[in-house]
Structures are given as C-alpha cells and as structure tokens.
Amino acid sequence: MFQKRFPAVAALIGASFLFSCKEQPVGIFAGEAAVDSTYVTTVEPQQTKNYYIEEFSGVRCPNCPAGALKLEDLMSQNPGRLKLVTIHAGSLTSPKDGVSKQDLRSGINGEGDGLLITNLIYGGDPAKPAASFDRMPVASGNVLLGNKDQWDAMLAAAKSQNSSTPVNMSLTTTYDATKDEYNIRIKLAYTQAVTDPQFLTIYLTEDKIVDEQIEPEIHDYEYNHVFRQSVTPFNGIAVLDSIPNKEAGRVFVTNYKLKINKDDATNLKQKFWNLDNIHVVAFVHKSTGGTDKKVYQAIDGKLKP
C-alpha cells in the first residue's frame, strides 16, 4: 500500500542501497528493501533517442480534447518514440459532482504529485492544453511549455537539439503473487562519459479511463496517459551521485517494489485503477532545480508483466 506523502516534498518511504550502502528514497515501498547495484562492463550500442512529453490537460478545458488528438497524431507519426504523461492539476481539472465518475487529479482535492510537478518544476499552472518536449525551452526563452500550435515545432527542436542519448534504459516488471507485490526494475547503461548530475524519475500512468468531459460536454470520453502517481519522488532520485564521472560502460540497476491497495479511494484513488491499463514511464534527466531540466532518455512499459 502507499504510505502517506507530505505536500511539499515526497516522503522517504523505505531505503534502497547502492554498493556504498547509501540510503536513497523509495517512492511506493512495500516489503523488503530493494538492492541497487552498479558495475562497469562492455559498452552497449547506443539506443535510439526517445522523447518525453508532459501534457497539462483538464476535464473542464474546452480545447483539451483537440490537444489530446494532436498528441496522439504526433505519436502515430513517431511510433514508439514519444513517451507521454498527461497531468490533470490546477485550473480546469476538478470533477463535477453527480457527473464525473472519478477525480483524475492526484492526491486529495488535487493536492498531490501532479500539482507539485506543475508548481515546482514548471513554475505554476499553465493555460491548458500545454505540453513540454524533453523539458526543453520553447524557442529561445526559459518557458518550458507551449500551446498545441507550437507542438510540431517543439518536437522538431527537441529532435534537432537533443538527437541522441548518452544512457541506454531498459525496464522490466515482475509480480510476486505470494506477496501481492510488483517489482519495477530499471537498468541504466552509459554509452558515453557523463559528468553532469543525473536523476531518475518513475511515474505511473493509466490508459482507457472512460469518464465525462465536462467542457465541452462529451459523454463517455476516453482519457489516456493519465498521470496517477510518482513511484520515485516527483522530481526524481540522484543517479550514482557518489560517482560524479560516469564512464562509458558504467551500469546502474535499481528496483522498486510496490503494492496496489484496491480499497484506497482517498489519497491515491487506487480503487479506481484498472491494472491492465497501468503503464510505467521512466526517464533520466538533469536536475529539476536548475534552468536546464533536459531529459536524456525515456522508456515505458506495462506494470503487469
């Protein structure tokens, strides 16, 4: 089950151990502590770069269904290359009593990780629909979010300016029926030397949520890529901060264990989750505290193996 999370920072729930036995925060923790490991081996061939998209949408947003269609079109034009997380937080996102089946915002009354991402990574509630591509600035400014008329150009800029990745990512999930527990395993393999601090973030999203779009009024509207909860702290965990110079061939493996509480209809709303449609989205990025928040690589997969 999920532990309590504090409003300003992600709670440190459990401990994960590097080779140096340094404690690290584990996002959704259950059961035994997962053991991280690192080693150096033969350099892998470099992966094709994937692109991470964060979209801000809402059930009361008249232009958001068109924004969702725009992003689905971009994904169809770039099969397997775009990893999308759609966040319902801030304005235009509250459900309607007697009409909405559930609240797509994270946390109680939307006071969850989605709002933390909105405020502490993007600097406040944007006009919706809005999206970022690899958390890179729009044009020459420091603004990371653009409206749907800018998305083609933003993706093209990300492909031009961030066309390759120095780190390969792989994702596997397993399920332990005896413990009713999922394990998410992320492997990072460096194909080039990296000296900048790096962070790993893991989110859970859900597809095929059928509910009401309030504005414009659309009955039985299908919501996809909906951000449900962060597995790591919302702004990620430091990757091998005790090894500032990560050489080519360096590998880092981390595991996160979690249980889903189907009786939880409050804070994390897991009662509403369809586990067949839950995805794990993981990405490696620069610090969210600086002006350069660039994403190096992203990957996704189903939670249920």
Side-chain angles (χ1 to χ4, degrees):
M1 61 187 286
F2 284 91
Q3 305 274 346
K4 180 178 179 182
R5 301 174 75 87
F6 297 93
V9 293
L12 305 185
I13 308 168
S16 167
F17 296 92
L18 288 171
F19 64 98
S20 62
C21 297
K22 178 177 180 180
E23 290 188 356
Q24 290 196 359
V26 172
I28 308 168
F29 181 76
E32 302 169 0
V35 177
D36 296 347
S37 62
T38 185
Y39 54 89
V40 178
T41 187
T42 304
V43 179
E44 296 180 1
Q46 188 179 69
Q47 287 179 341
T48 300
K49 175 73 171 72
N50 296 326
Y51 296 91
Y52 176 68
I53 304 173
E54 255 162 353
E55 176 197 18
F56 291 85
S57 189
V59 299
R60 297 176 180 268
C61 168
N63 295 320
C64 284
L69 285 174
K70 174 66 177 178
L71 289 175
E72 292 294 344
D73 185 50
L74 287 177
M75 293 179 76
S76 68
Q77 294 172 31
N78 299 269
R81 301 282 305 283
L82 307 185
K83 309 304 179 182
L84 174 59
V85 173
T86 299
I87 297 170
H88 290 248
S91 62
L92 308 179
T93 62
S94 59
K96 185 175 182 179
D97 290 343
V99 174
S100 301
K101 298 179 180 68
Q102 60 176 292
D103 187 347
L104 298 183
R105 302 172 299 177
S106 63
I108 299 174
N109 297 321
E111 299 288 334
D113 283 341
L115 193 62
L116 291 175
I117 294 166
T118 305
N119 290 333
L120 300 183
I121 295 180
Y122 288 98
D125 191 10
K128 299 179 178 72
S132 75
F133 290 76
D134 272 351
R135 290 180 174 169
M136 294 178 64
V138 179
S140 59
N142 290 324
V143 177
L144 303 181
L145 293 166
N147 62 51
K148 66 185 179 66
D149 293 334
Q150 298 172 289
W151 293 347
D152 289 288
M154 291 170 66
L155 177 57
K159 287 182 175 181
S160 173
Q161 300 169 28
N162 198 22
S163 60
S164 63
T165 175
V167 57
N168 291 350
M169 298 187 69
S170 64
L171 161 68
T172 56
T173 60
T174 55
Y175 177 68
D176 186 338
T178 61
K179 297 181 179 179
D180 188 24
E181 182 177 271
Y182 291 92
N183 183 75
I184 299 170
R185 179 182 185 271
I186 304 290
K187 175 186 172 185
L188 308 182
Y190 288 88
T191 62
Q192 300 174 23
V194 173
T195 57
D196 291 331
Q198 293 198 318
F199 296 80
L200 170 67
T201 293
I202 306 171
Y203 292 155
L204 299 181
T205 66
E206 185 173 350
D207 287 341
K208 300 180 180 179
I209 301 173
V210 177
D211 208 328
E212 301 299 292
Q213 176 71 28
I214 299 167
E215 295 180 34
E217 184 176 326
I218 305 174
H219 300 297
D220 296 329
Y221 180 77
E222 183 176 290
Y223 296 90
N224 290 295
H225 318 289
V226 174
F227 174 80
R228 283 304 202 179
Q229 192 65 31
S230 184
V231 177
T232 61
F234 74 95
N235 54 354
I237 61 163
V239 175
L240 296 175
D241 51 350
S242 60
I243 306 177
N245 299 320
K246 300 165 187 58
E247 66 269 54
R250 172 68 61 183
V251 172
F252 173 67
V253 180
T254 187
N255 294 272
Y256 285 85
K257 296 182 179 182
L258 62 111
K259 290 185 177 182
I260 306 299
N261 181 5
K262 293 298 291 181
D263 295 324
D264 180 6
T266 55
N267 184 29
L268 300 170
K269 310 179 183 72
Q270 295 171 7
K271 178 178 180 179
F272 297 96
W273 296 11
N274 182 339
L275 296 184
D276 290 328
N277 299 327
I278 296 289
H279 286 255
V280 181
V281 181
F283 54 102
V284 176
H285 55 92
K286 291 193 173 185
S287 170
T288 60
T291 56
D292 184 357
K293 299 177 172 67
K294 181 177 71 175
V295 174
Y296 289 94
Q297 180 65 313
I299 193 170
D300 65 356
K302 287 276 197 140
L303 175 63
K304 290 182 70 173

